[in-house]
């Protein structure tokens, strides 16, 4: 694929980039929610770049902006120094969910994209045969997706992407739907294909939530924070290839990334006070997840490292951190450095019976401003009842960066667990529980 290059040597060294990009999504109530804030990132030739961060940090949104699938609210996306107009012509994407046509065979799933690109029939046949061999699918050409394992489905996705001779391969959490052993094999094979230089492929941009994965694959690791998504730090990975998951150098790099993430997501210093009109965001976490964390810690002497917790409880690290932060909001745990430690209230909760747990939970959520404000309003109301729209509007106004419906659902689930409030969904009313009223 011949690319048009400019004379500027700085531009020549960059394949595609975003400059000062911010992006908003419009919520159902018409309110704007910012998901990205001032993102600048460049993809250079012959490198593997990974976007790493918890769910909701905007990793996939950045990838889609660079691919030309989304127009950013602010800033610009460029390909070889020129502003993107529509789809990025040098990019092919491998999706997390395989995105295969179930009524088409392996061969047909690859050929369809080549037909859309207007490739001649004899070239389609040659390209299809080549990429099928490249990803180890020979003998499965006439097989349907339902007959393939998860790993083989993703091989089809990779083959389809490579068949278009992309300059940059975008991979959106491509190994998250396969088992750990298959994922290890696929990572190594993708890197072998990239390193072979038998095709136009120059660079890879991947989205991941797996720290071990990016330490193994990437040359640069872009760590992203949330609310809204922004770049925390870019970590250079100069370890020679091939890499060993268990080597001391890889383990030190993983520890370094752990420290950066926990230092940001679970700081040891108190967070700055926010204006009284703004409420602290409510983590999208079920009470059962918090209870599971507390019971896990209690079974291990009251403390453990957050990333070990994520691994042992089979959770994505961003989700594990979210559960820890929710437990910390309720004063059930403390988070010194990378450790998560049961506080006295958490110890009491774990040892309590079901009714005592409800009482402790109720007391802790009433220490949070949002819960307390709604509770005080209900106490003052003669019938101890309010319209649920009032709570939704309060969330939209006082938690402007949050998804108000998701926050509302979390609020209701926390209240129900502590027998604090009752939500009548058909009538859209919220009232004090009988035990409180």
């Amino acid at each position: 694929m011949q690319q048009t290059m400019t004379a500027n040597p700085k531009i020549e060294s960059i394949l595609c980039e975003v400059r000062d990009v911010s992006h908003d999504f419009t919520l159902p109530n018409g309110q704007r929610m910012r998901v990205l804030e001032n993102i600048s990132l460049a993809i250079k030739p012959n490198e593997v770049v990974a976007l790493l961060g918890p769910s909701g940090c905007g990793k996939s949104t950045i990838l889609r902006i660079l691919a030309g699938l989304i127009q950013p609210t602010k800033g610009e996306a460029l390909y070889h120094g020129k502003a993107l107009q529509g789809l990025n012509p040098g990019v092919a994407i491998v999706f997390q969910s395989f995105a295969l046509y179930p009524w088409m065979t392996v061969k047909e799933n690859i050929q369809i994209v080549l037909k859309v690109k207007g490739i001649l029939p004899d070239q389609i046949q040659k390209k299809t045969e080549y990429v099928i061999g490249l990803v180890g699918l020979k003998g499965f050409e006439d097989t349907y997706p339902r007959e393939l394992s998860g790993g083989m489905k993703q091989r089809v996705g990779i083959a389809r992407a490579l068949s278009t001779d992309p300059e940059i391969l975008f991979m959106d959490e491509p190994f998250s739907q396969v088992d750990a052993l298959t994922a290890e094999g696929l990572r190594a094979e993708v890197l072998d294909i990239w390193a072979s230089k038998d095709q136009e492929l120059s660079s890879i941009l991947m989205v991941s939530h797996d720290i071990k994965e990016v330490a193994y694959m990437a040359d640069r690791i872009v760590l992203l924070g949330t609310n809204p998504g922004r770049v925390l730090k870019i970590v250079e990975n100069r370890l020679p290839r091939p890499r060993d998951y268990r080597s001391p150098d890889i383990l030190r790099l993983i520890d370094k990334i752990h420290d950066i993430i926990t230092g940001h997501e679970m700081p040891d210093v108190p967070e700055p006070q926010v204006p009284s009109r703004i409420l602290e965001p409510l983590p999208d976490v079920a009470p059962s997840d918090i209870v599971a964390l507390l019971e896990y810690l209690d079974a291990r002497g009251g403390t453990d490292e957050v990333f070990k917790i994520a691994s042992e409880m089979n959770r994505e690290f961003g989700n594990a951190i979210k559960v820890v932060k929710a437990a910390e909001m309720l004063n059930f745990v403390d988070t010194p450095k990378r450790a998560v430690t049961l506080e006295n209230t958490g110890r009491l909760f774990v040892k309590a019976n079901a009714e005592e747990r409800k009482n402790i939970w109720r007391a802790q959520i009433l220490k949070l401003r949002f819960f307390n404000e709604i509770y005080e309003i209900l106490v003052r109301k003669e019938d101890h009842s309010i319209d649920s729209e009032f709570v939704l509007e309060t969330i939209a106004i006082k938690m402007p960066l949050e998804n108000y419906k998701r926050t509302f659902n979390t609020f209701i689930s926390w209240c129900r667990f502590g027998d604090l409030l009752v939500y009548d969904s058909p009538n859209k009313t919220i009232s004090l529980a009988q035990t409180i009223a």
Side-chain angles (χ1 to χ4, degrees):
M1 184 187 300
Q2 203 67 29
Q3 304 296 341
T4 303
M5 306 293 284
T6 69
N8 187 331
K10 290 186 177 179
I11 293 178
E12 284 180 2
S13 65
I14 294 175
L15 301 181
C16 67
E17 63 181 316
V18 285
R19 293 179 184 169
D20 195 28
V21 158
S22 297
H23 192 66
D24 300 337
F25 285 130
T26 303
L27 298 175
N29 66 346
Q31 188 172 348
R32 307 283 285 179
M33 182 176 72
R34 178 139 295 190
V35 293
L36 293 176
E37 184 77 65
N38 299 330
I39 302 287
S40 292
L41 176 67
I43 311 302
K44 301 169 187 174
N46 305 311
E47 68 170 352
V48 179
V49 179
L51 303 178
L52 177 71
S55 300
C57 70
K59 303 184 296 289
S60 295
T61 303
I62 295 172
L63 183 142
R64 281 160 171 73
I65 289 172
L66 281 166
L69 294 169
I70 297 175
Q71 186 74 24
T73 305
K74 176 188 168 225
E76 58 180 347
L78 302 100
Y79 178 60
H80 284 293
K82 295 184 178 180
L84 264 183
Q85 302 293 331
L87 297 179
N88 189 326
V91 163
I93 304 177
V94 177
F95 297 97
Q96 175 184 4
S97 58
F98 313 132
L100 303 180
Y101 296 111
W103 60 88
M104 292 185 180
T105 63
V106 166
K107 180 172 59 181
E108 291 167 342
N109 262 286
I110 296 167
Q111 291 175 340
I112 187 67
V113 297
L114 298 173
K115 290 176 181 176
V116 170
K117 287 179 72 72
I119 307 295
L120 295 175
D122 61 327
Q123 287 299 309
I124 288 177
Q125 185 64 28
K126 286 181 182 178
K127 281 181 177 290
T128 302
E129 289 177 1
Y130 172 70
V131 293
I132 282 176
L134 192 65
V135 301
L137 284 173
K138 272 198 176 298
F140 294 91
E141 293 88 343
D142 297 317
T143 306
Y144 288 91
R146 66 177 178 274
E147 302 169 302
L148 299 174
S149 67
M152 293 180 77
K153 287 176 185 175
Q154 197 55 290
R155 288 176 191 274
V156 180
I158 294 167
R160 183 173 58 187
L162 293 175
S163 73
T164 63
D165 295 323
E167 186 176 31
I168 317 166
L169 183 65
F170 283 9
M171 308 185 82
D172 192 357
E173 299 201 33
F175 313 117
S176 61
Q177 299 295 313
V178 299
D179 64 86
L181 193 60
T182 300
E184 282 196 16
L186 285 171
R187 290 179 198 124
E189 289 181 38
V190 168
L191 289 177
D192 286 344
I193 292 168
W194 166 72
S196 70
K197 303 303 177 188
D198 288 338
Q199 54 258 290
E200 299 291 331
L201 182 62
S202 175
S203 295
I204 296 173
L205 173 65
M206 62 182 298
V207 165
S208 179
H209 63 254
D210 188 325
I211 297 173
K212 183 177 73 170
E213 177 175 271
V214 301
Y216 176 76
M217 293 194 70
D219 301 302
R220 285 193 296 142
I221 302 162
V222 183
L223 300 178
L224 298 165
T226 57
N227 295 322
R230 60 201 178 283
V231 176
L232 299 179
K233 190 176 181 66
I234 298 179
V235 177
E236 298 282 344
N237 182 2
R238 303 187 188 280
L239 296 178
R241 303 179 190 276
R243 296 169 184 162
D244 182 345
Y245 289 100
R246 292 158 292 279
S247 74
D249 288 337
I250 284 281
L251 295 176
R252 277 192 290 272
L253 177 60
I254 290 171
D255 274 346
K256 178 181 178 179
I257 296 170
H258 283 173
D259 288 338
I260 294 169
I261 292 169
T262 53
H264 178 266
E265 296 293 332
M266 302 189 309
D268 290 332
V269 297
E271 294 191 11
Q273 292 291 316
V274 296
S276 59
R277 64 183 178 80
I278 302 296
L279 292 171
E280 184 177 10
L282 192 60
D284 176 24
V285 172
S288 58
D289 292 330
I290 299 172
V291 174
L293 170 67
L294 302 183
E295 291 177 343
Y296 170 95
L297 291 171
D298 182 62
R300 286 156 181 79
T303 187
D304 209 344
E305 284 198 352
V306 65
F307 290 95
K308 187 178 177 185
I309 293 170
S311 176
E312 291 289 324
M313 298 183 73
N314 196 28
R315 288 182 176 274
E316 182 257 317
F317 79 86
N319 181 268
I321 288 175
K322 192 161 43 171
V323 175
V324 169
K325 290 177 78 171
E328 191 171 27
M329 281 180 70
L330 297 171
N331 293 318
F332 288 144
V333 302
D334 189 20
T335 55
K337 302 297 181 185
R338 276 192 271 164
V340 183
T341 304
L342 276 176
E343 292 277 66
N344 286 336
T345 309
R347 293 181 188 277
L348 288 171
F349 182 91
V350 171
K351 303 301 182 188
N353 60 37
E355 193 59 37
E356 290 168 341
R357 283 187 174 191
K358 286 183 179 182
N359 293 336
I360 294 170
W361 182 278
R362 184 165 60 243
Q364 295 310 112
I365 63 175
L366 282 173
K367 292 176 183 177
L368 302 177
R369 279 177 50 206
F370 180 43
F371 289 86
N372 191 260
E373 285 184 14
I374 301 300
Y375 172 74
E376 291 293 338
I377 291 169
L378 285 166
V379 168
R380 291 195 298 268
K381 296 278 286 186
E382 187 174 339
D383 61 353
H384 303 309
S385 177
I386 56 174
D387 193 285
S388 62
E389 285 298 319
F390 173 81
V391 177
L392 286 162
E393 288 173 9
T394 301
I395 294 168
I397 293 168
K398 295 199 172 187
M399 300 181 196
L401 296 178
E402 302 304 303
N403 181 313
Y404 71 103
K405 284 191 175 179
R406 188 163 57 218
T407 298
F408 176 81
N409 290 335
T410 302
F411 168 78
I412 293 298
S413 71
W414 286 26
C415 288
R416 281 174 171 163
F417 188 79
D419 272 352
L420 179 64
L421 307 177
V422 174
Y423 175 45
D424 183 344
S425 180
N427 294 317
K428 299 187 183 306
T429 59
I430 296 171
S431 56
L432 289 179
Q434 290 296 319
T435 53
I436 305 298

